[in-house]
Amino acid sequence: MSSTATEDSQARLLRATYDVGKTAMYAAKVDPRFHYCLYVPPQIGPETELVVCVHGTSRTSFLDFRDGFAEFGRWQDCVILCPVFPIGPLGDGARSGYKYMQEGDIRYDRVLLGMVEEVAAKYGRQWDRFAMFGFSGGGHFTHRFAILHPKKLWAACIGASGSVTLLDADRDWWVGIRNLEKVFGIAFDREALAEVPVQMLVGDADLETWEITHKPGGTYWMEGANDAGRTRPERMDALRRSFEAAGVKVRFDLVPGVSHSRMLVIDRVQDFLAGLLKQKRGA
């Protein structure tokens, strides 16, 4: 066997080992402080879609989502992208920067879009639009990403966000969106958001408030920080009403008997996405 053939064989073996199925972890080219892993189905074709799953505050759920969505990705012909935004990228131990889209010199929405571009190029696809699911801290990220970039999404599944940004033009970010363009350089596109199918999920027993109650002096304290409700179900319902008032069609799943448990809701997320995929491909 020639050296070229041997090298080609090794390249194929490496790709099969690390780049297909449940992949290795990669540093993002757009900013190597951040990482991602994937589930990649055995074959990628013109109908292969992308689903982004965003972890919560502990960050460990990125593997739960990668593995928990692997079967879905295989049989629904989807690549699953799980970003990792570690605690303290600025060296200060801060846990929640990614939830609010910016932290120091970091724009987390741009980091995620860079990851999508990188993965699309690697696998020969052009994912101008993708689906996103996030739970807890990932729910923070998902609904705020949808507000900023609705044209990038064919679905948004928002799970148990501890704090919510309402579409309130009378309050500043992050409680509202009055100064959205000043903060991010992005004007709110109500019509585009209304085109995104949205699912919101929260357990009816998800009632702990110790981690989600904002207090004066806290990093994200501002007037109105707790006005959307006391518990996660109350805040998610406020978000639902805010989105629906803007013309967004929302499927709201209040899951009976479930507390703050990401793995007990992903079947509902997959059901929602599978229905949308069937519509997209049928069209």
Side-chain angles (χ1 to χ4, degrees):
M1 182 180 292
S2 69
S3 60
T4 300
T6 300
E7 289 171 1
D8 289 344
S9 178
Q10 290 176 340
R12 287 193 296 272
L13 182 58
L14 287 169
R15 182 177 176 86
T17 302
Y18 297 111
D19 295 342
V20 178
K22 298 175 182 179
T23 74
M25 179 76 68
Y26 297 94
K29 293 179 181 178
V30 66
D31 189 332
R33 289 176 291 186
F34 306 106
H35 308 90
Y36 66 87
C37 65
L38 306 159
Y39 171 78
V40 179
Q43 301 293 328
I44 293 180
E47 289 196 342
T48 303
E49 298 284 354
L50 178 67
V51 177
V52 176
C53 297
V54 186
H55 59 69
T57 307
S58 72
R59 277 67 177 175
T60 56
S61 57
F62 81 93
L63 279 179
D64 291 338
F65 292 156
R66 194 275 308 272
D67 297 348
F69 274 80
E71 185 175 357
F72 175 89
R74 179 178 178 87
W75 299 113
Q76 295 291 337
D77 191 17
C78 293
V79 169
I80 311 300
L81 166 61
C82 298
V84 182
F85 303 123
I87 289 174
L90 299 179
D92 56 4
R95 293 185 295 272
S96 296
Y98 80 104
K99 303 174 188 178
Y100 296 89
M101 287 295 148
Q102 64 177 10
E103 181 180 23
D105 66 334
I106 304 165
R107 276 281 299 272
Y108 286 96
D109 56 329
R110 292 175 179 167
V111 173
L112 188 279
L113 290 171
M115 291 178 180
V116 170
E117 290 180 5
E118 178 180 337
V119 172
K122 182 173 184 175
Y123 293 96
R125 295 287 285 119
Q126 186 172 348
W127 285 306
D128 295 325
R129 299 173 71 221
F130 47 90
M132 182 178 291
F133 161 59
F135 187 86
S136 193
H140 279 254
F141 186 95
T142 299
H143 83 272
R144 295 189 177 108
F145 186 92
I147 291 170
L148 289 172
H149 301 285
K151 290 183 178 179
K152 289 293 184 180
L153 297 175
W154 56 261
C157 303
I158 304 157
S161 181
S163 295
V164 294
T165 296
L166 303 183
L167 305 179
D168 186 342
D170 295 323
R171 296 190 181 192
D172 284 343
W173 185 268
W174 60 266
V175 170
I177 61 170
R178 176 169 55 192
N179 61 340
L180 190 71
E181 190 163 9
K182 180 179 180 180
V183 173
F184 293 103
I186 298 172
F188 176 56
D189 191 336
R190 183 181 302 270
E191 291 74 20
L193 183 60
E195 293 297 316
V196 180
V198 171
Q199 179 187 36
M200 298 183 186
L201 310 95
V202 65
D204 69 357
D206 194 349
L207 303 177
E208 294 286 346
T209 61
W210 65 271
E211 192 176 12
I212 68 172
T213 301
H214 295 274
K215 298 178 181 179
T219 302
Y220 296 101
W221 165 257
M222 60 185 298
E223 290 296 328
N226 299 308
D227 286 0
R230 189 178 65 88
T231 65
R232 284 185 172 90
E234 290 173 359
R235 293 182 180 187
M236 291 297 294
D237 189 57
L239 185 65
R240 174 191 64 79
R241 288 183 275 111
S242 179
F243 271 45
E244 288 181 341
V248 181
K249 184 177 180 181
V250 179
R251 168 177 153 177
F252 190 81
D253 288 7
L254 183 64
V255 188
V258 170
S259 58
H260 200 57
S261 178
R262 55 189 177 257
M263 300 310 288
L264 294 180
V265 303
I266 65 170
D267 59 334
R268 292 172 180 254
V269 175
Q270 293 172 1
D271 175 71
F272 180 73
L273 294 176
L276 293 175
L277 285 167
K278 185 176 180 180
Q279 293 176 21
K280 281 169 62 68
R281 289 162 176 164

Short mmCIF file of all heavy atoms in Angstrom, two decimals, residues 91-126:
data_model
loop_
_atom_site.label_atom_id
_atom_site.label_comp_id
_atom_site.label_asym_id
_atom_site.label_seq_id
_atom_site.Cartn_x
_atom_site.Cartn_y
_atom_site.Cartn_z
N GLY A 91 -11.85 34.75 34.00
CA GLY A 91 -11.01 34.54 35.16
C GLY A 91 -11.60 35.01 36.47
O GLY A 91 -10.91 35.06 37.48
N ASP A 92 -12.91 35.31 36.46
CA ASP A 92 -13.53 35.84 37.66
C ASP A 92 -14.51 34.88 38.32
O ASP A 92 -15.15 35.21 39.32
CB ASP A 92 -14.27 37.15 37.33
CG ASP A 92 -15.30 36.97 36.23
OD1 ASP A 92 -15.50 35.82 35.77
OD2 ASP A 92 -15.91 37.98 35.81
N GLY A 93 -14.63 33.67 37.78
CA GLY A 93 -15.52 32.67 38.36
C GLY A 93 -17.00 32.92 38.12
O GLY A 93 -17.84 32.23 38.69
N ALA A 94 -17.34 33.89 37.28
CA ALA A 94 -18.75 34.21 37.02
C ALA A 94 -19.44 33.05 36.31
O ALA A 94 -18.89 32.46 35.38
CB ALA A 94 -18.86 35.48 36.18
N ARG A 95 -20.64 32.74 36.77
CA ARG A 95 -21.36 31.57 36.27
C ARG A 95 -22.37 31.87 35.17
O ARG A 95 -22.74 30.98 34.42
CB ARG A 95 -22.10 30.89 37.42
CG ARG A 95 -21.23 30.26 38.47
CD ARG A 95 -22.05 29.50 39.50
NE ARG A 95 -22.91 30.40 40.27
CZ ARG A 95 -22.52 31.02 41.38
NH1 ARG A 95 -21.30 30.84 41.84
NH2 ARG A 95 -23.36 31.80 42.04
N SER A 96 -22.86 33.10 35.08
CA SER A 96 -24.08 33.33 34.31
C SER A 96 -23.92 34.22 33.08
O SER A 96 -24.92 34.57 32.46
CB SER A 96 -25.15 33.93 35.24
OG SER A 96 -25.50 33.02 36.26
N GLY A 97 -22.71 34.57 32.72
CA GLY A 97 -22.53 35.50 31.61
C GLY A 97 -23.22 35.08 30.32
O GLY A 97 -23.87 35.89 29.66
N TYR A 98 -23.09 33.81 29.98
CA TYR A 98 -23.65 33.35 28.70
C TYR A 98 -25.15 33.49 28.64
O TYR A 98 -25.73 33.63 27.57
CB TYR A 98 -23.22 31.91 28.41
CG TYR A 98 -24.03 30.84 29.14
CD1 TYR A 98 -24.99 30.09 28.46
CD2 TYR A 98 -23.83 30.56 30.49
CE1 TYR A 98 -25.72 29.11 29.12
CE2 TYR A 98 -24.54 29.58 31.14
CZ TYR A 98 -25.49 28.85 30.46
OH TYR A 98 -26.21 27.88 31.10
N LYS A 99 -25.80 33.45 29.81
CA LYS A 99 -27.26 33.50 29.84
C LYS A 99 -27.81 34.84 29.34
O LYS A 99 -28.93 34.92 28.85
CB LYS A 99 -27.76 33.27 31.26
CG LYS A 99 -27.31 31.96 31.89
CD LYS A 99 -27.76 31.90 33.34
CE LYS A 99 -27.16 30.70 34.06
NZ LYS A 99 -27.54 30.66 35.48
N TYR A 100 -26.98 35.89 29.48
CA TYR A 100 -27.43 37.24 29.15
C TYR A 100 -26.79 37.77 27.86
O TYR A 100 -26.90 38.93 27.54
CB TYR A 100 -27.17 38.17 30.32
CG TYR A 100 -27.98 37.78 31.54
CD1 TYR A 100 -27.47 36.86 32.47
CD2 TYR A 100 -29.25 38.29 31.75
CE1 TYR A 100 -28.22 36.47 33.57
CE2 TYR A 100 -30.00 37.90 32.85
CZ TYR A 100 -29.48 36.99 33.76
OH TYR A 100 -30.23 36.60 34.85
N MET A 101 -26.08 36.88 27.15
CA MET A 101 -25.58 37.11 25.79
C MET A 101 -24.27 37.88 25.70
O MET A 101 -23.60 37.82 24.68
CB MET A 101 -26.62 37.80 24.91
CG MET A 101 -27.76 36.90 24.51
SD MET A 101 -27.19 35.55 23.44
CE MET A 101 -28.32 34.28 23.92
N GLN A 102 -23.91 38.63 26.74
CA GLN A 102 -22.61 39.29 26.65
C GLN A 102 -21.97 39.37 28.03
O GLN A 102 -22.65 39.42 29.06
CB GLN A 102 -22.72 40.68 26.05
CG GLN A 102 -23.52 41.69 26.82
CD GLN A 102 -23.50 43.06 26.17
OE1 GLN A 102 -23.05 43.20 25.02
NE2 GLN A 102 -23.99 44.06 26.84
N GLU A 103 -20.63 39.36 28.01
CA GLU A 103 -19.85 39.36 29.24
C GLU A 103 -18.46 39.88 28.88
O GLU A 103 -17.70 39.23 28.17
CB GLU A 103 -19.76 37.93 29.80
CG GLU A 103 -19.00 37.80 31.09
CD GLU A 103 -18.97 36.36 31.59
OE1 GLU A 103 -19.14 35.42 30.77
OE2 GLU A 103 -18.76 36.16 32.80
N GLY A 104 -18.14 41.08 29.34
CA GLY A 104 -16.86 41.67 28.98
C GLY A 104 -16.73 41.77 27.47
O GLY A 104 -17.58 42.36 26.81
N ASP A 105 -15.67 41.17 26.91
CA ASP A 105 -15.46 41.22 25.47
C ASP A 105 -16.17 40.10 24.72
O ASP A 105 -16.00 39.96 23.51
CB ASP A 105 -13.96 41.15 25.16
CG ASP A 105 -13.33 39.79 25.53
OD1 ASP A 105 -13.86 39.12 26.43
OD2 ASP A 105 -12.31 39.43 24.92
N ILE A 106 -16.97 39.32 25.41
CA ILE A 106 -17.58 38.14 24.80
C ILE A 106 -19.02 38.42 24.40
O ILE A 106 -19.82 38.88 25.21
CB ILE A 106 -17.57 36.94 25.79
CG1 ILE A 106 -16.16 36.64 26.28
CG2 ILE A 106 -18.19 35.71 25.12
CD1 ILE A 106 -16.12 35.74 27.50
N ARG A 107 -19.34 38.13 23.15
CA ARG A 107 -20.72 38.11 22.68
C ARG A 107 -21.07 36.66 22.40
O ARG A 107 -20.65 36.08 21.41
CB ARG A 107 -20.88 38.96 21.42
CG ARG A 107 -21.08 40.43 21.68
CD ARG A 107 -22.52 40.76 22.10
NE ARG A 107 -23.46 40.40 21.07
CZ ARG A 107 -23.81 41.21 20.06
NH1 ARG A 107 -23.31 42.43 19.98
NH2 ARG A 107 -24.68 40.80 19.15
N TYR A 108 -21.82 36.05 23.31
CA TYR A 108 -22.08 34.62 23.22
C TYR A 108 -22.91 34.24 22.01
O TYR A 108 -22.76 33.14 21.47
CB TYR A 108 -22.74 34.13 24.50
CG TYR A 108 -21.78 34.05 25.67
CD1 TYR A 108 -21.69 35.10 26.59
CD2 TYR A 108 -20.96 32.95 25.85
CE1 TYR A 108 -20.80 35.03 27.66
CE2 TYR A 108 -20.08 32.87 26.91
CZ TYR A 108 -19.99 33.92 27.81
OH TYR A 108 -19.11 33.84 28.86
N ASP A 109 -23.78 35.14 21.56
CA ASP A 109 -24.55 34.84 20.35
C ASP A 109 -23.61 34.70 19.16
O ASP A 109 -23.78 33.80 18.33
CB ASP A 109 -25.62 35.89 20.09
CG ASP A 109 -25.08 37.32 20.01
OD1 ASP A 109 -24.07 37.63 20.67
OD2 ASP A 109 -25.69 38.14 19.28
N ARG A 110 -22.61 35.55 19.08
CA ARG A 110 -21.65 35.47 17.97
C ARG A 110 -20.77 34.23 18.07
O ARG A 110 -20.42 33.63 17.05
CB ARG A 110 -20.79 36.73 17.95
CG ARG A 110 -21.55 38.00 17.59
CD ARG A 110 -20.68 39.22 17.72
NE ARG A 110 -21.39 40.45 17.34
CZ ARG A 110 -20.94 41.67 17.60
NH1 ARG A 110 -19.76 41.83 18.23
NH2 ARG A 110 -21.64 42.73 17.23
N VAL A 111 -20.41 33.85 19.29
CA VAL A 111 -19.63 32.62 19.47
C VAL A 111 -20.43 31.43 18.95
O VAL A 111 -19.90 30.57 18.21
CB VAL A 111 -19.25 32.42 20.95
CG1 VAL A 111 -18.60 31.06 21.15
CG2 VAL A 111 -18.31 33.52 21.43
N LEU A 112 -21.71 31.35 19.31
CA LEU A 112 -22.54 30.23 18.86
C LEU A 112 -22.67 30.24 17.35
O LEU A 112 -22.54 29.18 16.70
CB LEU A 112 -23.90 30.32 19.54
CG LEU A 112 -24.90 29.15 19.37
CD1 LEU A 112 -25.64 29.19 18.07
CD2 LEU A 112 -24.23 27.81 19.55
N LEU A 113 -22.87 31.39 16.76
CA LEU A 113 -22.99 31.46 15.29
C LEU A 113 -21.67 31.05 14.63
O LEU A 113 -21.68 30.41 13.57
CB LEU A 113 -23.39 32.87 14.86
CG LEU A 113 -24.83 33.25 15.21
CD1 LEU A 113 -25.07 34.75 14.95
CD2 LEU A 113 -25.83 32.43 14.40
N GLY A 114 -20.55 31.38 15.25
CA GLY A 114 -19.26 30.94 14.73
C GLY A 114 -19.12 29.43 14.78
O GLY A 114 -18.58 28.80 13.86
N MET A 115 -19.57 28.82 15.86
CA MET A 115 -19.56 27.36 15.96
C MET A 115 -20.40 26.74 14.85
O MET A 115 -19.99 25.74 14.22
CB MET A 115 -20.09 26.91 17.31
CG MET A 115 -19.21 27.23 18.49
SD MET A 115 -20.01 26.68 20.04
CE MET A 115 -18.80 27.16 21.26
N VAL A 116 -21.58 27.29 14.61
CA VAL A 116 -22.46 26.75 13.57
C VAL A 116 -21.77 26.83 12.21
O VAL A 116 -21.80 25.87 11.43
CB VAL A 116 -23.80 27.51 13.55
CG1 VAL A 116 -24.62 27.14 12.32
CG2 VAL A 116 -24.60 27.22 14.83
N GLU A 117 -21.15 27.95 11.92
CA GLU A 117 -20.45 28.10 10.64
C GLU A 117 -19.31 27.09 10.53
O GLU A 117 -19.09 26.49 9.46
CB GLU A 117 -19.90 29.52 10.50
CG GLU A 117 -20.97 30.58 10.31
CD GLU A 117 -20.38 31.97 10.18
OE1 GLU A 117 -19.13 32.09 10.15
OE2 GLU A 117 -21.16 32.93 10.12
N GLU A 118 -18.58 26.88 11.60
CA GLU A 118 -17.46 25.93 11.60
C GLU A 118 -17.95 24.51 11.33
O GLU A 118 -17.37 23.78 10.50
CB GLU A 118 -16.73 26.00 12.94
CG GLU A 118 -15.58 25.03 13.07
CD GLU A 118 -14.87 25.14 14.41
OE1 GLU A 118 -14.97 26.20 15.06
OE2 GLU A 118 -14.22 24.15 14.81
N VAL A 119 -18.98 24.11 12.03
CA VAL A 119 -19.50 22.75 11.86
C VAL A 119 -20.10 22.57 10.47
O VAL A 119 -19.91 21.53 9.82
CB VAL A 119 -20.54 22.46 12.96
CG1 VAL A 119 -21.24 21.14 12.70
CG2 VAL A 119 -19.86 22.44 14.33
N ALA A 120 -20.81 23.58 9.98
CA ALA A 120 -21.39 23.49 8.64
C ALA A 120 -20.30 23.31 7.59
O ALA A 120 -20.43 22.47 6.68
CB ALA A 120 -22.22 24.75 8.35
N ALA A 121 -19.21 24.06 7.70
CA ALA A 121 -18.12 23.93 6.74
C ALA A 121 -17.46 22.56 6.83
O ALA A 121 -17.12 21.95 5.80
CB ALA A 121 -17.09 25.03 6.98
N LYS A 122 -17.31 22.07 8.03
CA LYS A 122 -16.64 20.78 8.22
C LYS A 122 -17.42 19.64 7.58
O LYS A 122 -16.83 18.71 7.02
CB LYS A 122 -16.47 20.52 9.72
CG LYS A 122 -15.75 19.22 10.05
CD LYS A 122 -15.48 19.12 11.55
CE LYS A 122 -14.66 17.88 11.88
NZ LYS A 122 -14.29 17.82 13.31
N TYR A 123 -18.75 19.72 7.63
CA TYR A 123 -19.57 18.62 7.13
C TYR A 123 -20.27 18.95 5.80
O TYR A 123 -21.16 18.23 5.37
CB TYR A 123 -20.60 18.22 8.19
CG TYR A 123 -19.94 17.60 9.41
CD1 TYR A 123 -19.65 18.38 10.53
CD2 TYR A 123 -19.57 16.26 9.41
CE1 TYR A 123 -19.01 17.82 11.63
CE2 TYR A 123 -18.93 15.70 10.52
CZ TYR A 123 -18.65 16.49 11.62
OH TYR A 123 -18.02 15.94 12.71
N GLY A 124 -19.83 20.03 5.18
CA GLY A 124 -20.30 20.33 3.84
C GLY A 124 -21.75 20.75 3.75
O GLY A 124 -22.43 20.47 2.75
N ARG A 125 -22.24 21.44 4.77
CA ARG A 125 -23.62 21.92 4.77
C ARG A 125 -23.63 23.43 4.94
O ARG A 125 -22.62 24.05 5.27
CB ARG A 125 -24.43 21.26 5.91
CG ARG A 125 -24.61 19.77 5.76
CD ARG A 125 -25.60 19.45 4.64
NE ARG A 125 -26.96 19.72 5.10
CZ ARG A 125 -27.78 20.60 4.54
NH1 ARG A 125 -27.38 21.33 3.53
NH2 ARG A 125 -29.00 20.77 5.01
N GLN A 126 -24.78 24.03 4.69
CA GLN A 126 -24.95 25.47 4.91
C GLN A 126 -26.22 25.64 5.74
O GLN A 126 -27.32 25.73 5.21
CB GLN A 126 -25.06 26.22 3.59
CG GLN A 126 -25.11 27.73 3.79
CD GLN A 126 -25.04 28.50 2.48
OE1 GLN A 126 -24.73 27.93 1.43
NE2 GLN A 126 -25.32 29.78 2.53
#
